[in-house]
Amino acid sequence: MARVIDGKVGAAQVRGQVRLGAEAFHSQFGRAPGLDVILVGDDAASAVYVRNKEKAAEEVGFRGKVHRLPANTSESEVLSLVAQLNETDEVDGILVQFPVPSHIRQDAVIAAISPAKDVDGLHPINMGRLWSGLDGLVSCTPAGCIWLLEQLGVKLAGMRAVVLGRSQLVGKPIAALLLQKDCTVTVAHSKTQDLEAVCREADILIAAVGRPELVRGSWIKPGAIVIDVGINRTPSGKLVGDVAYAEAFELASAITPVPGGVGPMTIAMLLNNTLIAAKRRKAAG
Ligand code: NAD
């Protein structure tokens, strides 16, 4: 039976470290690290995510501000707010909550954010730095997955890792991070043939697909570590991951639950990224 990887405990640990880092930053520079979030429109789920980020930032002692803009805000208005925040010294991190309304190009918004303040790690410069093995800002959910893996205390080098999903937000950055840890990485996706056989080779299986319980217990190599990024709501309203948890639990050596696994790590890593950005900006003068 698997060890359960508790993301709530991990997130509390990261937040505690960030809180101490924020205090030290404040006493050294006379101000708190600052995180500005832009929310366009009135998507209910996005509003909840943003409120959670705002609360989390307050709790670690950051200066936080949410810019709530109406759904009919033009792309150029969003871009000029981003430009203004890029120039504001007390803003260390800028996050635009996606999705934005369809008349606003997500790529244009991402490209407008200063890479030094891109705490979501989505700017092509940060993506490129990640794949080049250079310091940058790494997107939060992938950073959280790797943090959880490292906490297990197993030697990752040489392990076969399979990443299900190749999105810019999750799959690709996770693959880059696992390569940095010297894993042998396979990235599988919607066109992969015989997904089950590919998964069965994995010592580390990361599922980031968005299909409820796609990965069955029979797909899990005995002893594998399973990190389930998926968050899916079933017709009955239950939250489930991309992995059939009860089945995988019988075979895996360690597994993240949904909810309570990767999810809580995402906001914790956002806070961590903001502190990193604040310190780097000060170090760069
Ligand atoms: P996405 O839709 O952008 O990408 C999904 C990926 O899965 C694609 O690369 C696609 O090729 C692949 N895919 C789709 N169907 C497949 C199939 N049947 N077999 C194999 N591969 C398939 O999604 P995303 O943004 O990467 O998110 C993935 C999941 O992770 C979603 O459930 C999302 O809600 C969740 N998520 C969780 C967090 C968190 O904080 N825990 C953060 C981001 C995303």
Side-chain angles (χ1 to χ4, degrees):
M1 285 204 300
R3 165 178 171 190
V4 179
I5 305 170
D6 191 332
K8 284 181 281 188
V9 170
Q13 199 178 323
V14 173
R15 285 174 192 230
Q17 286 161 0
V18 173
R19 194 177 306 116
L20 292 177
E23 275 170 26
F25 184 93
H26 198 296
S27 38
Q28 194 177 350
F29 301 111
R31 69 161 180 87
L35 173 65
D36 280 48
V37 178
I38 300 176
L39 172 65
V40 190
D42 38 28
D43 179 71
S46 293
V48 173
Y49 296 146
V50 165
R51 178 66 201 129
N52 289 341
K53 288 169 188 174
E54 192 179 17
K55 243 175 70 190
E58 271 167 31
E59 279 167 15
V60 293
F62 286 179
R63 181 201 58 75
K65 178 161 183 180
V66 179
H67 304 259
R68 291 185 169 83
L69 307 176
N72 63 359
T73 305
S74 68
E75 181 181 292
S76 64
E77 284 172 311
V78 174
L79 295 182
S80 57
L81 175 56
V82 169
Q84 185 196 319
L85 297 177
N86 282 343
E87 293 304 316
T88 306
D89 185 49
E90 63 178 18
V91 176
D92 298 296
I94 302 170
L95 182 147
V96 179
Q97 183 68 41
F98 294 124
V100 282
S102 57
H103 65 276
I104 300 171
R105 291 167 302 153
Q106 184 167 314
D107 286 356
V109 174
I110 292 171
I113 298 171
S114 162
K117 299 188 177 189
D118 167 39
V119 285
D120 241 352
L122 295 176
H123 193 288
I125 295 262
N126 280 318
M127 283 285 183
R129 293 184 74 84
L130 174 62
W131 282 100
S132 307
L134 299 170
D135 278 345
L137 290 165
V138 177
S139 78
C140 305
T141 302
C145 292
I146 297 298
W147 192 94
L148 289 174
L149 273 178
E150 285 187 313
Q151 288 304 299
L152 294 175
V154 297
K155 186 169 164 252
L156 301 177
M159 280 192 158
R160 295 189 76 91
V162 172
V163 182
L164 290 187
R166 57 175 162 184
S167 69
Q168 290 290 103
L169 183 65
V170 191
K172 280 184 198 163
I174 287 181
L177 290 167
L178 289 166
L179 268 179
Q180 278 180 13
K181 297 286 166 203
D182 295 323
C183 293
T184 302
V185 183
T186 302
V187 181
H189 46 79
S190 53
K191 303 282 189 289
T192 298
Q193 295 191 0
D194 202 354
L195 201 57
E196 181 171 346
V198 174
C199 290
R200 227 180 282 119
E201 295 206 332
D203 302 312
I204 299 171
L205 180 63
I206 315 259
V209 172
R211 301 275 178 275
E213 301 182 330
L214 172 79
V215 178
R216 309 309 308 184
S218 59
W219 299 25
I220 308 289
K221 177 177 174 178
I225 299 166
V226 179
I227 307 284
D228 191 352
V229 184
I231 303 176
N232 312 286
R233 203 169 279 283
T234 63
S236 65
K238 197 179 155 211
L239 276 189
V240 297
D242 291 342
V243 178
Y245 182 81
E247 294 174 19
F249 183 78
E250 298 298 324
L251 288 139
S253 62
I255 185 167
T256 57
V258 178
V262 174
M265 293 303 295
T266 299
I267 291 187
M269 297 323 269
L270 170 68
L271 302 173
N272 195 43
N273 273 353
T274 305
L275 180 62
I276 291 171
K279 288 202 228 167
R280 285 200 189 135
R281 291 184 58 245
K282 285 294 182 191

